[in-house]
């Protein structure tokens, strides 16, 4: 089990589901594997790297559990172990702070 940036522990979260917060009106401007994402709820634009964009793309078809999002982030490049689950969970928490995703099971 890892820790969040504020030092609180990260639970496994394998049953937690995540969803796009504002799929309607969300604008994604792609360039290579990266993107600028405009959030119509906050009127903010965010830069996403390739990994974050893969996770966001996976959510466009609906809420997904953490394990599906880890697989999307890794695209088969590494085994989905506890380290990668904690890294993707940190990424999801950052996307949540940006207002792009929400926890679908709360």
């Amino acid at each position: 089990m890892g820790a969040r940036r504020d030092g609180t522990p990260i639970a496994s979260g394998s049953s937690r589901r995540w969803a796009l917060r504002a799929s309607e009106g969300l604008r994604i401007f792609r360039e290579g594997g990266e993107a600028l994402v405009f959030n119509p709820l906050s009127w903010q634009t965010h830069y996403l790297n390739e990994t974050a964009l893969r996770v966001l793309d996976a959510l466009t078809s609906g809420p997904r559990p953490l394990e599906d999002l880890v697989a999307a982030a890794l695209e088969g490049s590494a085994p989905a172990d506890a380290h990668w689950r904690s890294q993707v969970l940190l990424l999801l928490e950052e996307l949540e702070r940006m207002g792009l995703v929400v926890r679908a099971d709360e």
Side-chain angles (χ1 to χ4, degrees):
M1 179 167 24
R4 292 184 180 92
R5 291 186 182 152
D6 65 5
T8 58
I10 295 173
S12 68
S14 60
S15 64
R16 181 177 295 161
R17 293 174 63 85
W18 295 83
L20 288 178
R21 180 169 181 229
S23 59
E24 305 264 338
L26 192 68
R27 301 289 183 251
I28 301 174
F29 304 94
R30 299 169 189 270
E31 180 63 38
E34 302 166 334
L36 293 175
V37 178
F38 173 72
N39 181 347
L41 299 177
S42 66
W43 283 81
Q44 292 181 326
T45 301
H46 305 281
Y47 163 80
L48 297 185
N49 66 20
E50 185 174 1
T51 303
L53 184 57
R54 280 192 222 127
V55 169
L56 204 69
D57 283 342
L59 292 169
T60 59
S61 60
R64 295 276 186 253
L66 177 62
E67 293 302 318
D68 287 0
L69 299 174
V70 171
L74 296 175
E75 278 193 338
S77 64
D81 60 13
H83 167 76
W84 287 113
R85 282 190 295 279
S86 68
Q87 292 301 305
V88 172
L89 190 53
L90 286 172
L91 170 63
L92 287 162
E93 290 171 348
E94 181 66 24
L95 293 172
E96 183 179 35
R97 280 190 291 281
M98 291 177 184
L100 298 175
V101 303
V102 294
R103 298 165 202 241
D105 56 347
E106 291 184 352

